[in-house]
Amino acid sequence: MARFSEKTINEISTRLRLSDVVSEYSRLVRKGSTLWAKCPFHSNGNERTPSFKIDDDKGLYYCFGCHESGDMFTFLEKIEHMTFYEAVESLAKKAGVEIEYTTNENSGESRRKSESAALLDLYERINNTFTFLLKQKNAAHAREYLERRGISEDIADKFSLGFAPSSPDFLYDFLKKKGYSDEILKMSGLFSQNKFPYPLFVNRLMFPIRNFRGQVVAFSARDLSGREGAPKYINSPETAIYSKRNNLYGLFESIPSLKEKDSSAILCEGNFDVISMHQAGYKTAMASLGTSFTQEQAKLISRYTSKVDLLFDSDDAGQNSTDKAIIILNGFDFDIRIHHLEHYKDASEALEKEGKKGVENEFESSLSAFEYLVQKNIKRYNIQTPRGKSDFLSSFSPFMDSLNSNVEKESYINELALRINASFSTVEKDLRKGNGREKEKGNIEEVPLKEFNPANCSLDLYAMMILVNHRQLFNIYRREISFGDLKDKDAQSLYLALEDALRDGVSSNEVFLSLINDDRLRNYVSTSFMLDEFSRSAENVLDEAVDKIRLRSLEEKREVVNKQIRLLSSSLDADDISHLMEKKKDMDDEINAIKSRIY
């Protein structure tokens, strides 16, 4: 299989300690000889007692809260939403290690890496071209449009705004001349899937979307043709390098300001809102990408700040977006402020009509998330009536459910009780009724990883786990059991990974983990590396497990032979019957031998 050379992985692991990597995301505490941290995956820094154990000697971590486990590579994959290849490349750069590859052109992983690299190169190249074209004569109408919207040339340059020409032939011809294959162009998200090679973007103002590392991974495009029926905005489809859920427009441009003390991320709705806010001096503005705000996006923001200002549009859709974002952000314990636009629909309109001063005026006042909901729902429900009071309280259930602090909950219950002139206990009971519903965290609920418990393993999986932890034994025991002897699908997956590791000479745990595609199973394996149960001498336990697996397989095969003898004895000649009887006797002998060893 194609992968980084084991030398590269080992060099990175030698030069970097796991604690060095984790310490960039969570403060480490030493207890005796062991390092601990508040889990960066599930606690959002609010654990009373750190549950995230770091073992620098083994290069492994394990969280006793959410059961995440792995090495420095899987840690970076999960915390930064990277692929394994991106994690290795990032850590290699950090460690000053020159990367070496072992290649196999037939490897699917190699193709995926090659495709991602080709797409990143393509997007960077075409973005530079779009930016260049915006300054040319045939893009005069695009520049005039920006001027009408109040967008300065400096801000257009900061966000690398560009122009896609009116000619439908330009994009394909240009990229073909640069050597890109039709295969890459079809998967690039730049062309119509139904009418290739017709481009997705024609006569449009181009907004490049960068990931948090600054790489261009997609585009959003505003129509400039004025043609009736043309969609005003078109966004890139998801590709090998782009997922809407895991990116925010303007995040990369905001990172330098987000790193300043007491910074706050400003969440807007549209591209022009983000650009307008930056132009007005609010340099931490960003927006979700054509979807509702997501938990993944909240995680991205939480790396840089614990404060968020919401500045969604003033229409009903914008207010609904605000409500949903509050629930998600509460789950990450953000300090949230809501800004209500009084005179304009959005920040972009304020900049267009009044310039920087208009944005400042609209952004001046703010409310806490709780006070925002109180004011909104008091207008919606008549709290002078019993029914209105009940509906008013019910509207707060999702908000209260999303809070992690009991102190906050108690404080808000007190305030609600005062608002509707009811007792604390009555309000608390009514709100508790809402806890039976599913929590409304952006309509998605993360499923926590199930803890790996060796006692709950099937016989097959337990045997494979032992071999995974003692891979030098696999070449011996693979002669005793085959892939077909295994019934457990997880065990079969590990058997194939062990075959790959044996063939390619993989010895390090880090590289072996990269051979396992299933996140859950990879988590189980990395957890097993931390357990004493699998680190002890394994041959005796493994011998018994292999005997039991082999016994089960032989008994099943013997039953097949018995059926053949019973059903086919009248139609087979004497030699065939004799052959089947000899086969059955050999199986009987082997079965009896195994039983004598294990019973």
Side-chain angles (χ1 to χ4, degrees):
M1 288 180 73
R3 64 183 63 89
F4 298 101
S5 70
E6 194 153 2
K7 177 186 174 186
T8 296
I9 301 296
N10 289 336
E11 272 196 53
I12 295 171
S13 302
T14 300
R15 295 192 193 185
L16 286 179
R17 293 178 303 174
L18 173 61
S19 58
D20 295 331
V21 179
V22 176
S23 65
E24 294 185 9
Y25 300 86
S26 189
R27 188 170 67 86
L28 306 187
V29 178
R30 184 173 291 280
K31 294 182 181 180
S33 60
T34 306
L35 285 169
W36 295 81
K38 293 178 180 179
C39 179
F41 295 113
H42 85 274
S43 73
N44 304 310
N46 292 309
E47 287 182 318
R48 292 182 183 275
T49 304
S51 62
F52 193 84
K53 180 182 178 183
I54 298 131
D55 189 327
D56 271 333
D57 292 335
K58 291 182 178 179
L60 297 168
Y61 64 84
Y62 179 75
C63 175
F64 290 86
C66 66
H67 314 303
E68 286 282 3
S69 65
D71 53 31
M72 69 175 70
F73 302 99
T74 51
F75 178 84
L76 205 60
E77 280 183 73
K78 293 173 182 177
I79 201 75
E80 295 284 13
H81 305 292
M82 292 179 171
T83 64
F84 174 71
Y85 282 94
E86 289 169 336
V88 173
E89 287 169 345
S90 177
L91 291 172
K93 185 176 181 180
K94 184 180 179 69
V97 171
E98 187 174 344
I99 292 175
E100 292 181 2
Y101 299 92
T102 59
T103 59
N104 178 339
E105 293 304 319
N106 293 322
S107 164
E109 194 64 48
S110 176
R111 285 196 300 275
R112 283 191 293 275
K113 179 181 181 299
S114 165
E115 288 166 4
S116 295
L119 288 178
L120 287 170
D121 175 79
L122 184 157
Y123 269 83
E124 192 63 39
R125 184 189 294 272
I126 198 61
N127 179 59
N128 290 337
T129 301
F130 286 152
T131 302
F132 170 78
L133 291 174
L134 180 61
K135 301 180 186 298
Q136 304 311 302
K137 185 177 179 180
N138 65 349
H141 63 304
R143 297 193 299 276
E144 288 168 4
Y145 177 77
L146 288 174
E147 189 176 344
R148 288 199 305 274
R149 298 294 301 262
I151 305 300
S152 69
E153 189 174 341
D154 286 344
I155 289 295
D157 288 342
K158 176 181 178 178
F159 283 86
S160 300
L161 301 189
F163 173 67
S166 303
S167 168
D169 300 322
F170 166 79
L171 192 60
Y172 180 74
D173 292 345
F174 173 79
L175 293 174
K176 288 298 286 185
K177 286 176 184 176
K178 297 299 180 183
Y180 292 99
S181 68
D182 281 357
E183 182 183 9
I184 289 294
L185 296 184
K186 285 178 180 178
M187 69 175 66
S188 70
L190 294 171
F191 296 90
S192 167
Q193 292 297 303
N194 300 323
K195 299 178 181 178
F196 182 82
Y198 192 85
L200 205 60
F201 309 114
V202 176
N203 196 7
R204 287 183 176 268
L205 184 66
M206 303 300 292
F207 299 81
I209 297 165
R210 297 183 184 273
N211 60 23
F212 68 91
R213 291 185 293 276
Q215 297 165 308
V216 179
V217 293
F219 289 103
S220 181
R222 209 285 183 194
D223 178 58
L224 296 172
S225 70
R227 181 171 53 85
E228 187 177 348
K232 185 181 290 187
Y233 282 94
I234 291 179
N235 298 310
S236 292
E238 299 205 346
T239 64
I241 60 173
Y242 175 58
S243 165
K244 288 180 285 189
R245 302 186 68 84
N246 293 303
N247 288 278
L248 285 154
Y249 181 72
L251 173 65
F252 174 73
E253 290 81 3
S254 299
I255 287 174
S257 297
L258 282 172
K259 290 181 177 179
E260 296 174 4
K261 188 178 180 181
D262 293 327
S263 67
S264 177
I266 302 170
L267 270 179
C268 308
E269 278 203 52
N271 298 350
F272 269 117
D273 293 334
V274 171
I275 293 171
S276 298
M277 292 298 290
H278 277 257
Q279 183 164 317
Y282 299 99
K283 298 180 180 178
T284 59
M286 61 196 72
S288 55
L289 296 155
T291 60
S292 297
F293 185 67
T294 68
Q295 286 191 336
E296 291 84 354
Q297 290 164 345
K299 284 183 181 179
L300 274 174
I301 296 172
S302 69
R303 298 177 195 170
Y304 307 103
T305 182
S306 60
K307 298 179 180 180
V308 172
D309 288 80
L310 294 179
L311 185 65
F312 289 143
D313 293 357
S314 58
D315 59 14
D316 289 343
Q319 296 311 296
N320 288 335
S321 296
T322 299
D323 293 352
K324 292 177 181 178
I326 287 172
I327 302 305
I328 292 174
L329 292 167
N330 270 343
F332 291 84
D333 293 304
F334 281 101
D335 179 9
I336 310 166
R337 303 297 297 179
I338 314 298
H339 298 262
H340 180 65
L341 296 162
E342 293 288 346
H343 304 100
Y344 300 106
K345 179 179 179 291
D346 52 35
S348 175
E349 186 182 6
L351 182 77
E352 187 179 340
K353 297 290 176 62
E354 288 191 60
K356 180 178 177 181
K357 192 66 179 174
V359 177
E360 289 174 348
N361 290 340
E362 290 293 282
F363 198 67
E364 217 168 67
S365 60
S366 67
L367 298 170
S368 70
F370 176 77
E371 189 59 35
Y372 157 79
L373 291 171
V374 168
Q375 291 191 14
K376 176 183 175 181
N377 290 319
I378 277 181
K379 293 176 184 177
R380 185 177 179 186
Y381 303 106
N382 180 6
I383 61 171
Q384 303 307 314
T385 67
R387 180 75 257 175
K389 289 180 180 182
S390 176
D391 290 341
F392 176 77
L393 283 183
S394 295
S395 71
F396 277 87
S397 287
F399 174 80
M400 301 297 283
D401 290 350
S402 69
L403 295 170
N404 295 316
S405 167
N406 289 325
V407 172
E408 273 191 273
K409 288 182 181 180
E410 184 175 313
S411 175
Y412 293 145
I413 290 172
N414 272 319
E415 288 200 43
L416 290 171
L418 288 172
R419 297 276 181 169
I420 63 171
N421 193 25
S423 69
F424 178 92
S425 60
T426 300
V427 171
E428 185 183 32
K429 286 176 184 176
D430 267 20
L431 287 171
R432 195 181 298 142
K433 289 177 184 176
N435 289 339
R437 302 183 333 273
E438 291 186 22
K439 292 185 179 181
E440 297 178 27
K441 291 191 175 183
N443 296 322
I444 59 172
E445 189 72 32
E446 288 193 352
V447 179
L449 283 167
K450 188 178 179 182
E451 182 177 7
F452 172 60
N453 185 351
N456 294 334
C457 280
S458 68
L459 173 66
D460 297 13
L461 183 57
Y462 193 83
M464 290 302 104
M465 282 292 188
I466 294 175
L467 286 172
V468 161
N469 281 266
H470 300 272
R471 292 190 292 278
Q472 72 279 6
L473 299 176
F474 180 64
N475 196 33
I476 299 170
Y477 283 92
R478 67 195 288 266
R479 299 166 194 162
E480 304 296 324
I481 53 173
S482 66
F483 177 86
D485 291 329
L486 302 172
K487 303 299 181 185
D488 187 304
K489 289 184 178 180
D490 285 342
Q492 292 175 343
S493 296
L494 292 185
Y495 191 96
L496 294 176
L498 285 163
E499 287 277 14
D500 288 338
L502 177 65
R503 183 179 65 248
D504 295 332
V506 170
S507 60
S508 74
N509 288 341
E510 292 89 347
V511 178
F512 182 79
L513 286 170
S514 74
L515 303 179
I516 304 170
N517 294 323
D518 183 88
D519 288 343
R520 175 189 53 81
L521 184 57
R522 185 166 62 240
N523 202 76
Y524 285 178
V525 171
S526 60
T527 300
S528 77
F529 292 153
M530 303 277 284
L531 300 178
D532 291 340
E533 179 167 351
F534 293 107
S535 64
R536 295 190 290 264
S537 178
E539 283 87 341
N540 290 339
V541 177
L542 192 56
D543 283 340
E544 182 177 343
V546 169
D547 272 343
K548 288 180 178 178
I549 292 170
R550 182 68 183 151
L551 177 62
R552 181 187 66 200
S553 179
L554 282 168
E555 287 178 334
E556 289 174 355
K557 290 175 181 176
R558 182 178 63 177
E559 182 57 30
V560 172
V561 172
N562 282 334
K563 284 182 179 179
Q564 289 177 330
I565 293 172
R566 286 196 306 271
L567 298 174
L568 302 175
S569 57
S570 60
S571 60
L572 294 176
D573 58 31
D575 288 340
D576 290 332
I577 293 292
S578 176
H579 173 73
L580 285 174
M581 294 299 291
E582 286 177 11
K583 188 175 181 180
K584 178 181 178 300
K585 183 179 181 306
D586 290 341
M587 289 181 179
D588 288 338
D589 291 344
E590 189 172 353
I591 287 169
N592 291 333
I594 292 174
K595 284 182 175 180
S596 68
R597 289 198 298 269
I598 61 177
Y599 297 124

